[in-house]
Amino acid sequence: MTTATDPMDSLASADPEIARLIGLEEGRQRDSLEMIPSENYASSAVMAAVGSVLTNKYAEGYPGARYYHGNEFVDIVESLAIDRATALFGMDHANVQPHSGAQANLAVYLGVIKPGDTVLGMKLDAGGHLTHGHSVNASGKLYSFVSYGVERETEVIDYDEMLAVAKEHRPKLIVVGATAYPRLIDFERAREIADEVDTVLMADMAHIAGLVAGGAHPTPAGNAQLITTSTHKTLRGPRGGMVLCDSKFRRRVDRGVFPGHQGGPMMHVIAGKAVMLKEAATSEFRAYAGQTVENARAVAETLAEAGIRPISGGTDTHLILLDVTTIGLDGQRAADSLERAGIVVNKNAIPFDELPPMTGGGIRFGTPAITSRGFGTAEAHRTGELIAEVLAAPDDEAVAERVKAEVKDLCDAFPAPGIPSA
Ligand code: DSN
């Protein structure tokens, strides 16, 4: 075993093949506009915590109540993460152990409702998530999901439909939150609906958690009794998940995570979450969250002016869903052409899509990562112009080359945080 002090030097000597691939990925992240709206650049501090010796520790259980010994330091780490999460989001309790947002959602289902219970969630093709009841996911297999969508005209959440379906099916839980929805979610309205049918409201804020933390999106706290999130999207932490809840649900949520379906917590990742939660409580992060939304608006407006339709007409968040069918493309072709030009987005279904999900009528992208680079409104506007140029000539190699060169210049001028320069 090597004793080299630089972790990347140790890796390069122990496993040059993996070290080389990590180096290549570093270069890809450094030199592309990462616009998948669920991706971001974790800080060096977050990555240092995740790459620490805490990966060696088994700590099944919770602080002060573990199944293994030797937890004197990791107990403090986890307690700090919990305290920071409850303070940041204004909730009574936090469970910081879920390995991802999907696990956070499953923990709530396992802890709070019973297999076979009815749950109301958002349709996947309207912007919902696999874990909100899709038939291929455990949520759809274990529970009886019914759904609401968006209005055909406005493409905003149809709260009247939410209420009507809730009244008809009397769900044990209502889930709000989305992965491909660009507008504000009205948590107050959702809580009124939940109260009207005497049920509980869960908000999956995975996409918008950083905006909520930074005051750029209304918080679900105070309306949702249960809140789930991933920690690596707009929150800019390590890959992982969390559940926040009212004290009434504390025990059920904790049991839904462990022993409900997870084993030992990843203490190194929990340390990274603690670091992220400290960063997210700063005034710098608040400014970041606000600028992320400003930048998304600038990109969406630029594309709309170029004649490419953002779903719902624009965005209030970090995310844009673009209907590319009106310019004769599908999502796959549009995303492929942008990737050739150094702009990374994902194909996505759009509401009432007529194309299959593997192609999709749209692309989904956003501004969390480019804003972490320091992009302001002017750079966001230029990014929108570059996207429009590529989509107007998706097979034109010369356009792709020219845009890629400008992307590289932008990336050099606004270095990605946490990534060493070339
Ligand atoms: N895969 C995530 C996203 O991209 O939105 C959701 O889990």
Side-chain angles (χ1 to χ4, degrees), residues 95-105 228-232 238-243 262 269-270 273 276:
N95 186 307
V96 296
Q97 293 190 3
H99 300 328
S100 70
Q103 261 70 49
N105 289 349
T228 60
T229 186
S230 49
T231 49
H232 47 271
R239 194 152 288 272
M242 282 194 307
V243 184
Q262 287 192 183
V269 180
I270 290 174
K273 289 174 190 172
M276 167 276 285

Side-chain angles (χ1 to χ4, degrees), residues 130 133-138 140-141:
L130 275 177
H134 198 282
S135 59
V136 298
N137 182 260
K141 292 183 197 293

